[in-house]
């Protein structure tokens, strides 16, 4: 999903002028479609801009806020890769309470022991289930 600079500004509370400055400093990046000169951003940039703004509001410098926001983005990217590589299925047990199981794979070649993430009321945990 692509959003314009005005929408990104409205969603984050960061002025278009600040966004252009941050882009000039390489803290964020826009995408070009080749058709217009209007700045457009991947929606994921929303999260980075929002993170930078929150860190600035906490008193960090722009450079430090951008550095930490980039580290957060990289951590999320690693988590996404892990989820895509490891999770094999999600079983929704109670859609009203958003409870379920996340099938994470097997611990052995004969697939007798599998790792399951449990999302229960008040807690989440990992369990090893053994097939008999």
């Amino acid at each position: 999903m692509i959003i314009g600079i005005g929408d990104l500004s409205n969603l984050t509370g960061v002025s278009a002028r600040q966004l252009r400055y941050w882009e000039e400093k390489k803290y964020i990046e826009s995408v070009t479609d080749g058709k217009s000169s209007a700045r457009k951003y991947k929606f994921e940039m929303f999260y980075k801009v929002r993170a930078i703004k929150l860190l600035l509001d906490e008193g960090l410098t722009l450079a430090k806020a951008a550095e930490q926001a980039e580290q957060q983005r990289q951590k999320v990217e690693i988590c996404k890769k892990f989820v895509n590589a490891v999770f094999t299925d999600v079983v929704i047990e109670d859609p009203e309470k958003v409870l379920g199981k996340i099938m994470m794979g097997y611990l052995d070649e004969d697939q007798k022991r599998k790792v399951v993430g449990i999302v229960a009321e008040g807690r989440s945990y990992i369990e090893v289930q053994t097939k008999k």
Side-chain angles (χ1 to χ4, degrees):
M1 187 167 142
I2 304 293
I3 59 175
I5 192 168
D7 290 331
L8 185 58
S9 177
N10 290 335
L11 288 169
T12 60
V14 176
S15 73
R17 182 177 177 172
Q18 284 177 298
L19 292 171
R20 285 191 283 282
Y21 178 75
W22 293 1
E23 187 175 349
E24 180 183 308
K25 292 293 187 182
K26 308 263 189 249
Y27 297 137
I28 63 173
E29 60 186 56
S30 63
V31 294
T32 57
D33 60 7
K35 298 175 186 173
S36 71
S37 61
R39 283 185 168 84
K40 299 202 181 286
Y41 300 88
K42 289 182 181 179
F43 190 74
E44 70 185 41
M45 199 54 56
F46 160 79
Y47 297 106
K48 188 170 183 180
V49 169
R50 186 78 179 123
I52 292 171
K53 183 178 183 332
L54 291 172
L55 292 165
L56 285 171
D57 291 347
E58 290 178 9
L60 273 67
T61 65
L62 176 57
K64 199 51 124 166
E67 178 184 320
Q68 286 190 16
E70 178 58 21
Q71 288 173 352
Q72 288 174 2
R73 188 199 65 75
Q74 289 174 357
K75 287 177 183 179
V76 168
E77 196 60 36
I78 289 169
C79 289
K80 282 177 18 184
K81 286 180 181 180
F82 177 80
V83 167
N84 287 333
V86 174
F87 292 4
T88 59
D89 194 13
V90 176
V91 177
I92 301 170
E93 294 189 340
D94 187 341
E96 297 285 319
K97 297 179 181 176
V98 192
L99 304 176
K101 295 180 181 176
I102 301 166
M103 306 308 168
M104 299 174 67
Y106 292 92
L107 291 175
D108 49 5
E109 287 183 25
D110 54 357
Q111 298 186 347
K112 289 186 178 180
R113 297 180 345 170
K114 68 180 172 183
V115 179
V116 179
I118 309 292
V119 178
E121 286 191 79
R123 68 189 193 121
S124 297
Y125 56 96
I126 294 175
E127 176 177 286
V128 175
Q129 298 178 345
T130 305
K131 187 193 298 183
K132 296 178 183 178

